[in-house]
Amino acid sequence: MTTTLAPSTDRASRPTGIPGPSPRGRKPRPVGGLVGSVALWAYAAGALVPLVLMVLNSFRTTADLYNKPLSMPWPPSVDSYKVAWTEGHFGDYFLNSLLVTVGAVALSTAVSTMAAYALARTRSRIFSVLESVFVSGLMLPIHLAILPVFYLLDGMRLVDSRLGLMLVYAAAGVPFSVFVLTTFFRQLPPELEEAATIDGANTWQTFVRIMVPLVRPAVATVVVFRFVPIWNDFLFPLVLLRSREKYTVPVGLTSFFGEYSTNWSALFAGLVIATVPLILLFLVATKQIVAGLTAGMSK
Amino acid sequence: MTRRSGLFFVAPALILFGIFVLYPMASALSYAFFSWQGTARGGFAGLDNFHALFTQEPFRSQLPRAFGHNLAFFAGTMVVQNTLGLGIAVLLHRRPRTRRALQTLYAMPYLVSPIVIGYLWTLLLSPTFGPVNALLRQVGLGSLAVPWLGDPDTALWVVILVSAWQWVGFPVLLYGAALGGVPEELSEAARVDGASHWQTFRSIVFPLLVPAIGTVSVLTFIFAMEAFALPYALGGSTGNPAGATDFMSLLFYRTAFENGSTNAIGVSSAMATLLFLVIFGGAVIATRVLRRTEERIAG
């Protein structure tokens, strides 16, 4: 495992013999100067314009899209949202996605926090074996097990159910969540628990009242970071769900694109509806997302 | 924490993970070595299912083609990430005030579901309605306004570029973190010794980025081998046009859930096993090469 966030400073230690001019006082200049800045903002525009077009086009009528493809949507029309939300059943899809995602993230985070605490605080062979079992899950491409997952859920009468989907996502999130949370629990001093024990708290009380509040930032990171891939996932609901009223947003989107292939503004509205929760999440938790992504990358 | 309470804390996560991840993963491998009649398992088949992949149609012709597309996809995204991604990260370095804002903007596309991204670009690139071609015609480049996704010569490029566009913010963030870990004194010292910007980058900064480049490569490889939702949205489950955007995961999906051949489970599981070996083997080899490179540089 390479930890990307902390490149080993020992190897990069100062070569001896070079007279060290103090870099302090003089600010290192950015690479590229003004041209660099322009390039960076230009690329930012390139990254955002397609998404902006998606939003703008959802507020236009399909006739406008065809006749004036490059004009602004004025006055904005919300008809396409009405079509998508009701006729296109996005109301249902949205609720299903929310239910499955929130349920899976909650379950996954709860069991992973418990497990991570135990793994961080016990020193015995069996626990280090268990830890490597969990962490090895980071390398397993779970989508390749879709057939056995299908038959497993079939045997449990959980095919075409939101609960089945939720359980699969919750389990798939365990490796990452355990990995991040264990690291955080290890950083907490054991004296905290000793003090709690002296005060008469049992292990469970210590965990819930003292330890969990202390790792709240890590829990937030795990929650945000798991929310995104579950909300976005396509293969599991495509295979595991049958009835339209149980579809999550990505599968619902696919059937909507099949049915409404000529109603362009409604299609754009569908795409926006599918994306709104992520944008909201992003606005409230950018810091957590960035932290989560870097934590995920250091594996 | 005692061993007993430790096990109590680990148990829920272990049960969930064992049932819905470990057990299906193990089954997926075992499925490949049996012959199947629909959902009923027949006798032990040895390597027959694997043999069928390379001798029977449609697999004999579609498997190498799909695998080739996966490799091209990997190569293409790697090139973009290590030129554009690294370039942007270098430009962002030492711009503390704008860095946060720009990283946030660059991150937007990869939060959006690949299925949404795929459909969005299908709409944007449409030959009749699409604003991309409308814009090209407007600025007098009408000859470039081709049916991007309808032409087998351009369709795979579109898939590669759209995916690279979606994910470029990811290496920017990772390389940014790695650049932040390069001690400023080192490059300053090299500069004092008369090294040019480029020499400093090549001999001081670049070697320290090797772990980050390795992480990006491994994650990109896994991601490229598993790609499903984006090609599904851009080219359907058969990789339109004419199989030009067919990928391993699409072929696997068709074999397992759409073809309806009697031994579908056996053959598709063999395919999943093969893909798993490629991903796992590729990741292991990459990690090993990377470690050797790091040692040589540190040498």
Side-chain angles (χ1 to χ4, degrees):
Chain A
M1 281 209 190
T2 48
T3 40
T4 337
L5 283 181
S8 46
T9 38
D10 49 304
R11 204 188 310 131
S13 63
R14 196 182 319 232
T16 47
I18 297 176
S22 167
R24 287 172 221 291
R26 192 155 63 86
K27 242 194 201 153
R29 271 196 326 212
V31 181
L34 185 65
V35 179
S37 295
V38 172
L40 286 171
W41 286 102
Y43 189 76
L48 286 192
V49 162
L51 300 177
V52 172
L53 279 178
M54 170 174 94
V55 177
L56 289 182
N57 285 344
S58 68
F59 288 107
R60 297 160 55 156
T61 62
T62 300
D64 267 3
L65 277 168
Y66 190 69
N67 298 325
K68 299 174 276 181
L70 301 173
S71 71
M72 286 298 283
W74 201 257
S77 144
V78 292
D79 289 354
S80 58
Y81 283 92
K82 287 184 196 147
V83 171
W85 191 260
T86 53
E87 284 175 48
H89 310 289
F90 270 90
D92 297 350
Y93 305 151
F94 198 86
L95 270 179
N96 291 334
S97 271
L98 213 54
L99 191 72
V100 168
T101 311
V102 170
V105 171
L107 179 62
S108 183
T109 309
V111 299
S112 302
T113 312
M114 284 176 66
Y117 179 53
L119 293 174
R121 280 299 191 251
T122 40
R123 247 179 251 173
S124 122
R125 238 185 86 205
I126 181 165
F127 286 94
S128 55
V129 171
L130 284 175
E131 190 177 351
S132 35
V133 166
F134 282 129
V135 173
S136 72
L138 285 171
M139 313 246 288
L140 295 178
I142 176 77
H143 275 150
L144 290 180
I146 183 84
L147 262 174
V149 166
F150 180 86
Y151 290 114
L152 176 74
L153 291 185
D154 197 37
M156 298 170 131
R157 303 259 168 276
L158 285 177
V159 161
D160 196 25
S161 91
R162 285 158 286 209
L163 177 65
L165 199 57
M166 204 176 93
L167 289 170
V168 172
Y169 286 141
V174 165
F176 173 77
S177 313
V178 166
F179 173 65
V180 172
L181 291 166
T182 309
T183 318
F184 270 79
F185 276 121
R186 286 222 168 94
Q187 290 167 359
L188 300 177
E191 286 81 11
L192 289 170
E193 283 119 305
E194 283 159 23
T197 314
I198 292 167
D199 287 350
N202 63 31
T203 311
W204 180 253
Q205 286 167 332
T206 312
F207 171 69
V208 174
R209 302 228 183 111
I210 302 186
M211 302 311 277
V212 171
L214 287 172
V215 292
R216 216 157 40 193
V219 171
T221 300
V222 165
V223 165
V224 169
F225 192 68
R226 285 303 303 156
F227 189 96
V228 178
I230 298 178
W231 181 273
N232 285 345
D233 187 60
F234 175 60
L235 182 62
F236 279 123
L238 177 71
V239 170
L240 299 177
L241 299 175
R242 299 268 171 75
S243 20
R244 201 207 44 73
E245 66 270 17
K246 289 175 188 158
Y247 281 178
T248 58
V249 170
V251 198
L253 199 61
T254 308
S255 80
F256 186 61
F257 263 69
E259 275 174 65
Y260 283 75
S261 54
T262 51
N263 191 347
W264 268 50
S265 62
L267 297 182
F268 277 114
L271 295 177
V272 173
I273 293 173
T275 309
V276 160
L278 299 174
I279 304 293
L280 289 180
L281 191 74
F282 194 80
L283 292 178
V284 298
T286 314
K287 223 171 106 190
Q288 251 77 33
I289 288 181
V290 172
L293 285 165
T294 33
M297 287 185 296
S298 64
K299 68 173 190 241
Chain B
M1 180 184 279
T2 62
R3 212 173 125 126
R4 233 172 97 191
S5 53
L7 287 174
F8 164 78
F9 272 78
V10 175
L14 190 63
I15 292 168
L16 194 65
F17 183 63
I19 294 177
F20 292 101
V21 175
L22 287 184
Y23 169 71
M25 281 309 295
S27 316
L29 299 185
S30 80
Y31 279 17
F33 296 96
F34 290 88
S35 64
W36 294 77
Q37 292 285 323
T39 59
R41 202 176 75 176
F44 184 72
L47 294 174
D48 285 1
N49 292 325
F50 294 90
H51 187 68
L53 284 181
F54 296 99
T55 53
Q56 275 174 25
E57 288 297 344
F59 315 113
R60 197 168 68 106
S61 50
Q62 290 186 3
L63 190 72
R65 184 181 68 184
F67 187 64
H69 292 162
N70 279 89
L71 286 183
F73 185 72
F74 169 60
T77 27
M78 269 310 280
V79 167
V80 174
Q81 293 189 334
N82 286 326
T83 51
L84 194 59
L86 184 56
I88 292 174
V90 169
L91 288 181
L92 271 182
H93 189 50
R94 297 194 196 136
R95 280 185 171 83
R97 268 180 305 153
T98 45
R99 187 171 64 207
R100 200 56 191 251
L102 284 169
Q103 277 179 345
T104 307
L105 295 181
Y106 298 153
M108 301 297 268
Y110 63 71
L111 286 180
V112 181
S113 166
I115 200 95
V116 170
I117 294 292
Y119 283 131
L120 172 62
W121 280 99
T122 311
L123 297 179
L124 295 181
L125 290 171
S126 152
T128 45
F129 276 96
V132 171
N133 282 357
L135 185 72
L136 286 173
R137 287 193 196 99
Q138 196 99 346
V139 298
L141 291 169
S143 58
L144 288 178
V146 296
W148 300 97
L149 282 164
D151 184 342
D153 289 335
T154 51
L156 184 62
W157 287 104
V158 173
V159 179
I160 292 171
L161 288 175
V162 166
S163 183
W165 166 80
Q166 180 177 17
W167 286 97
V168 120
F170 194 69
V172 167
L173 196 64
L174 182 52
Y175 290 139
L179 284 169
V182 176
E184 206 63 66
E185 295 88 344
L186 275 184
S187 358
E188 282 294 327
R191 201 89 29 81
V192 169
D193 284 356
S196 69
H197 269 293
W198 171 246
Q199 280 172 327
T200 313
F201 179 78
R202 217 192 52 189
S203 340
I204 309 277
V205 179
F206 188 74
L208 292 171
L209 292 182
V210 168
I213 293 173
T215 308
V216 169
S217 316
V218 172
L219 291 178
T220 309
F221 180 72
I222 296 174
F223 171 80
M225 289 298 140
E226 289 182 305
F228 178 73
L230 183 73
Y232 185 99
L234 286 170
S237 69
T238 53
N240 288 325
T245 61
D246 200 9
F247 282 84
M248 290 289 284
S249 55
L250 291 177
L251 180 59
F252 167 73
Y253 173 75
R254 291 202 303 275
T255 313
F257 300 102
E258 281 186 345
N259 277 9
S261 85
T262 51
N263 191 23
I265 296 183
V267 178
S268 61
S269 296
M271 213 180 287
T273 306
L274 219 55
L275 198 52
F276 177 78
L277 287 177
V278 169
I279 292 173
F280 199 75
V284 168
I285 291 170
T287 313
R288 190 159 297 175
V289 168
L290 181 71
R291 197 166 306 146
R292 202 163 298 164
T293 318
E294 278 180 56
E295 277 162 14
R296 209 185 57 219
I297 290 171

